[in-house]
């Protein structure tokens, strides 16, 4: 049993068959993204008692492995689940830190409210990360641009086929060593404009981080890949074809007059933690930051008149990735190649520097995990 500062004891049942140091070293030499997983998982259960009161209990660290689940579990039939994504970074002194975990905890609860799942105390969210990383800290890579990707998630486990919020829920955290999201050297990517699919609708689950949103993006993602693109862009056809977001990342525009523009959060768009961090760092630099509607017509016009300087995508997995081209059924919108002094690359370097401890954290964004 491990004591901690949040008043919850995590029992520890460690694996009898840990990954060998040699095997782990081979994995960390080329981890890719989401291909390998550490030896353990953090788990906390939630259930409703006879008086109808819900509560969290049985916090534990246990070996990574299959989840035993009833075939009637609500998550399998009604998709009642949410997840998060954040990273743990190894600093030069060997310590391990995460970035803006509290922001992820609050977004997790925003998603929980929308999916009618129980909210998890933010301090318990952060503690679950600390508990898992403390036992699997040897899995945190130390190469440039590498980190341990943390995936907290919550699933409805009650065996019941009626349509109502589940009364039994499991919260879990798994971890995966991660390299560059798009693989290899960072290069600008091409994206595809989806004109036949929607990621989310008004009043839907667009701003919740739930699997259904990502499932809804996959058909469009296949279409993008068929056109040689890494990602897909979604519009709002009922709002002047306003730009919303990519399948898994927010989008940002930089104009030649120093304005940085990103679509306003409107209930359809995920509250990206990296997005918010980018806006803060841009504001710190004196750039004019605008969160507003930007349409595909404005994008085309700004390319035509030369006022668009850069376009980039941002998210936890990829951090910041320049966009070189938007491919559409009617042609392409090409962005200027980013130079070393571009806003995207400069903010990316600063952001990674803060995360890895090489640049001073002026906003108190870092939390030590191990």
């Amino acid at each position: 049993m491990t004591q901690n500062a949040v008043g919850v004891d995590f029992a520890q049942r460690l694996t009898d068959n840990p990954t060998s140091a040699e095997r782990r070293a081979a994995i960390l030499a080329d981890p890719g993204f989401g291909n390998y997983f550490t030896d353990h998982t953090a788990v906390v259960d939630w259930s409703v008692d006879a008086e109808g009161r819900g509560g969290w209990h049985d916090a534990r660290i246990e070996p990574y492995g299959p989840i035993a689940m009833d075939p009637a579990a609500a998550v399998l039939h009604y998709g009642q689940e949410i997840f998060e994504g954040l990273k743990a970074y190894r600093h030069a002194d060997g310590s391990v830190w995460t970035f803006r975990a509290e922001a992820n905890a609050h977004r997790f609860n925003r998603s929980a409210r929308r999916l009618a799942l129980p909210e998890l105390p933010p301090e318990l969210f952060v503690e679950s990360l600390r508990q898992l990383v403390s036992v699997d800290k040897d899995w945190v890579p130390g190469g440039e641009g590498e980190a341990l990707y943390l995936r907290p998630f919550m699933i409805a486990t009650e065996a019941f086929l009626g349509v109502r919020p589940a009364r039994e829920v499991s919260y879990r955290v798994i971890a995966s060593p991660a390299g560059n999201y798009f693989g290899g050297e960072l290069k600008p990517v091409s994206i595809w404009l989806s004109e036949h699919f929607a990621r989310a609708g008004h009043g839907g689950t667009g701003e919740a981080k739930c699997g259904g949103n990502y499932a809804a993006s996959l058909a469009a993602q296949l279409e993008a890949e068929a056109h040689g693109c890494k990602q897909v862009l979604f519009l709002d056809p009922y709002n002047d074809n306003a730009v919303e977001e990519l399948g898994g990342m927010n989008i940002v525009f930089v104009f030649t007059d120093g304005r940085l523009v990103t679509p306003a959060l409107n209930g359809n768009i995920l509250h990206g933690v990296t997005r918010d961090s980018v806006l803060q760092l841009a504001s710190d630099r004196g750039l004019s930051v605008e969160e507003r509607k930007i349409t595909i017509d404005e994008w085309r016009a700004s390319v035509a008149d030369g006022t668009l300087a850069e376009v980039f995508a941002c998210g936890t997995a990829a951090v910041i990735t320049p966009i070189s081209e938007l491919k559409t059924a009617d042609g392409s919108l090409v962005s200027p190649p980013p130079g070393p002094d571009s806003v995207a690359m400069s903010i990316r370097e600063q952001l990674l520097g803060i995360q890895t401890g090489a640049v001073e954290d002026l906003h108190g964004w870092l939390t030590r995990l191990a």
Side-chain angles (χ1 to χ4, degrees), residues 8 20 55 66-67 95 106 121 126 130-131 145 165 191 215 228 250 269 339 359:
V8 174
S20 69
I67 300 173
S95 60
H106 290 301
V126 176
R130 183 176 287 112
Q131 292 286 329
I191 63 174
N250 297 114
I269 297 172
V359 172

Side-chain angles (χ1 to χ4, degrees), residues 86-336:
L86 64 167
K87 291 179 177 178
Y89 303 85
R90 187 174 297 283
H91 287 195
D93 64 358
S95 60
V96 180
W97 300 70
T98 192
F99 179 76
R100 302 198 68 181
E102 292 81 4
N104 287 95
H106 290 301
R107 185 174 66 179
F108 194 66
N109 281 338
R110 183 185 299 112
S111 298
R113 290 191 294 272
R114 183 62 185 85
L115 272 293
L117 286 162
E119 294 186 38
L120 183 76
E123 60 273 17
L124 182 54
F125 178 96
V126 176
E127 185 62 26
S128 69
L129 309 180
R130 183 176 287 112
Q131 292 286 329
L132 179 58
V133 172
S134 68
V135 298
D136 282 345
K137 57 181 177 294
D138 290 342
W139 282 88
V140 183
E144 183 178 356
E146 296 179 341
L148 183 68
Y149 183 79
L150 304 172
R151 171 54 63 88
F153 62 100
M154 190 189 298
I155 56 175
T157 54
E158 183 186 8
F160 177 73
L161 294 183
V163 182
R164 60 158 170 76
R167 294 171 183 164
E168 295 176 7
V169 165
S170 180
Y171 164 76
R172 294 172 178 261
V173 187
I174 57 176
S176 174
N180 189 294
Y181 184 72
F182 289 115
E185 180 184 354
L186 178 68
K187 296 179 181 178
V189 298
S190 297
I191 63 174
W192 173 253
L193 177 64
S194 176
E195 299 182 77
H196 305 293
F197 298 103
R199 175 188 166 274
H202 295 286
T205 59
E207 69 176 8
K209 199 166 178 68
C210 62
N213 293 341
Y214 293 79
S217 75
L218 295 179
Q221 179 67 30
L222 290 175
E223 186 179 76
E225 292 173 2
H227 289 85
C229 296
K230 293 283 190 179
Q231 269 284 347
V232 60
L233 174 75
F234 294 99
L235 305 177
D236 181 354
Y238 302 103
N239 188 23
D240 301 323
N241 281 325
V243 173
E244 293 209 319
E245 64 175 279
L246 307 188
M249 292 181 284
N250 297 114
I251 188 167
V252 181
F253 301 84
V254 182
F255 290 86
T256 54
D257 61 4
R259 288 178 297 130
L260 187 145
V261 179
T262 193
L265 302 175
N266 60 3
N268 295 352
I269 297 172
L270 189 69
H271 294 233
V273 175
T274 304
R275 171 191 182 275
D276 185 69
S277 305
V278 166
L279 299 186
Q280 180 63 63
L281 295 179
S283 180
D284 292 346
R285 294 162 176 241
L287 294 174
S288 173
V289 173
E290 300 178 9
E291 297 180 68
R292 62 169 175 83
K293 181 172 80 173
I294 180 167
T295 66
I296 191 67
D297 287 341
E298 181 180 353
W299 189 343
R300 288 193 176 99
S302 63
V303 169
D305 64 20
T307 58
L308 183 63
E310 305 174 42
V311 187
F312 62 89
C314 61
T316 297
V319 189
I320 289 177
T321 301
I323 295 171
S324 60
E325 179 184 21
L326 174 68
K327 291 185 178 181
T328 79
D330 300 321
S332 296
L333 298 175
V334 178
S335 302

